[in-house]
């Protein structure tokens, strides 16, 4: 019997690209599954309808609506990309999957999308290396405080244990590259830097250099594909408290990146100087970039020593490295010029 997969945030950058990757599979377990995509506006339903799969409009904050979508469509696997920072949608999805599991007597799987900045000193984590095979949940719990992304990650582990659902948390660093979905095709960090530079006619950098982890969107969709395929095949892989997957491919040296962006933008006549200048303050940077003041330091200057172990165990071999990223940095500028048409709501509730 075909298994049903629901992808949330399917109009978004990550979710849209994951959905496109799933649809494009020509062999393997995903070809046998039935795909369902969750979006939240009529316009998005319309835009995705050409894909020939079931598109549902649902507000993931609405517990009853989420339950209906999961049970009516017999969903066995949820890939949740809509939000890493709100615990309620994650809890609603897992509770509904638990109900589905009880009804079928089979397995139910929940794949979460987490945020790598949380595992850096700037994001509140302890100093030094952190592996995804370390006791992440235990330390997250100890330092949870009022951090909504940390609360959400912890809710995933706890609710999944309560409802007998197998959970996985794909922890994303800075993602770059063109999205392949039908709606929002741009990521968060580099598009914001480029958009703001064009508006201000100058590229800015932060007062300290950093070397954050980064990954191309095509490598990200491969990891979601591998994990979802493992769920479909019932392959035993690390889950729950042991189910963190650091989706880290390489580093992105920020001062070098900003200077390369400045050069590329200057060559296109979009900024007045071929070098980057330091932001006057973190507040000014937050306001200009449209990022919450609460997160600006973590988002702008985080490095973190995140070591991915679990992704390799499911066969993940990223195709993009630091050299390829830097050589293709102008592509980020061209993508913003062509695709910056849909405003992000990512920080609307923060
Ligand atoms: N992109 C990155 O570099 C990156 C890195 C680390 C972590 N992440 C995390 O990954 C997640 C996805 O990122 P993204 O870049 O794909 O963001 P995105 O392009 O804004 O996509 C999120 C999608 O989810 C939808 N959504 C949000 N809340 C919803 C709700 N309550 N009910 C229904 N739909 C909802 C949004 O709807 P609208 O279209 O109406 O806004 C949007 O289409 C985010 O939580 C982000 O923090 C992203």
């Amino acid at each position: 019997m075909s298994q049903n997969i629901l992808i949330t945030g399917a109009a978004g950058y990550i979710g849209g690209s994951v959905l496109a990757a799933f649809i494009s599979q020509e062999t393997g377990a995903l070809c046998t599954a039935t795909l369902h995509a969750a979006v939240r506006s009529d316009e998005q339903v319309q835009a995705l309808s050409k894909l020939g799969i079931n598109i549902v409009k649902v507000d993931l904050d609405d517990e009853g609506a989420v339950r209906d979508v999961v049970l009516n469509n017999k969903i066995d696997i949820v890939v949740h990309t809509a939000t890493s920072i709100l615990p309620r949608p994650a809890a609603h999805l897992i509770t509904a999957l638990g109900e589905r599991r009880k009804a079928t007597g089979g397995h139910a799987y929940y794949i979460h999308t987490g945020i790598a900045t949380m595992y850096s000193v700037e994001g509140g984590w302890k100093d030094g290396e952190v592996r995804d095979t370390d006791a992440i949940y235990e330390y997250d719990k100890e330092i949870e405080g009022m951090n909504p992304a940390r609360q959400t990650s912890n809710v995933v582990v706890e609710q999944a244990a309560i409802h007998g659902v197998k959970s996985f948390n794909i922890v994303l660093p800075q993602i770059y590259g063109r999205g392949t979905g039908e709606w929002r095709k741009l990521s968060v960090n580099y598009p914001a830097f480029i958009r703001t530079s064009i508006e201000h006619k100058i590229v800015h950098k932060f007062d300290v250099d950093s070397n954050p982890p980064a990954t191309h969107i095509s490598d990200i969709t491969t990891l979601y594909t591998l994990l979802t395929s493992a769920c479909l095949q019932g392959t035993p892989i690390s889950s729950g408290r042991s189910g963190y997957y650091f989706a880290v491919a390489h580093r992105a040296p920020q001062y070098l990146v900003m200077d390369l962006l400045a050069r590329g933008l200057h060559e296109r006549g979009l900024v007045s100087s071929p070098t980057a200048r330091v932001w006057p303050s973190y507040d000014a940077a937050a306001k200009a970039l449209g990022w919450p003041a609460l997160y600006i330091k973590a988002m702008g200057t985080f490095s973190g020593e995140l070591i991915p172990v679990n992704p390799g165990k499911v066969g993940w071999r990223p195709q993009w490295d630091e050299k390829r990223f830097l050589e293709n940095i102008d592509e980020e500028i061209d993508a913003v010029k062509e695709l910056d048409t849909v405003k992000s709501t990512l920080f609307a509730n923060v």
Side-chain angles (χ1 to χ4, degrees), residues 158-236:
E158 289 154 14
Q159 291 297 309
I162 290 169
H163 295 285
V165 172
K166 285 193 192 302
S167 70
F168 311 89
N169 190 339
I170 301 185
V171 177
L172 302 186
Q174 289 187 353
I175 313 299
Y176 61 92
R178 285 172 190 243
T180 47
E182 296 299 323
W183 191 254
R184 186 172 300 109
K185 295 176 196 282
L186 292 178
S187 188
V188 183
N189 288 54
Y190 294 114
F193 288 136
I194 293 163
R195 184 184 305 123
T196 308
S197 302
I198 295 171
E199 275 164 26
H200 291 229
K201 303 233 173 320
I202 183 89
V203 175
H204 282 98
K205 59 187 179 185
F206 289 91
D207 59 351
V208 285
D209 196 4
S210 60
N211 205 10
T215 304
H216 191 269
I217 184 68
S218 59
D219 285 324
I220 289 300
T221 61
T222 300
L223 182 54
Y224 280 91
T225 302
L226 288 166
L227 266 182
T228 308
S229 301
C231 296
L232 286 166
Q233 290 164 318
T235 310

Side-chain angles (χ1 to χ4, degrees), residues 8-15 39-40 44 58-61 81-86 89 113-116 172-175 183-184 186-189 343-346:
T8 73
Y13 171 66
I14 306 285
V39 299
R40 67 170 171 185
Q44 292 169 350
V58 60
D59 179 356
L60 299 167
D61 285 322
T81 75
T83 167
S84 312
I85 50 181
L86 298 177
T113 301
I115 305 180
L172 302 186
Q174 289 187 353
I175 313 299
W183 191 254
R184 186 172 300 109
L186 292 178
S187 188
V188 183
N189 288 54
K343 207 168 156 34
S344 169
T345 60
L346 212 53

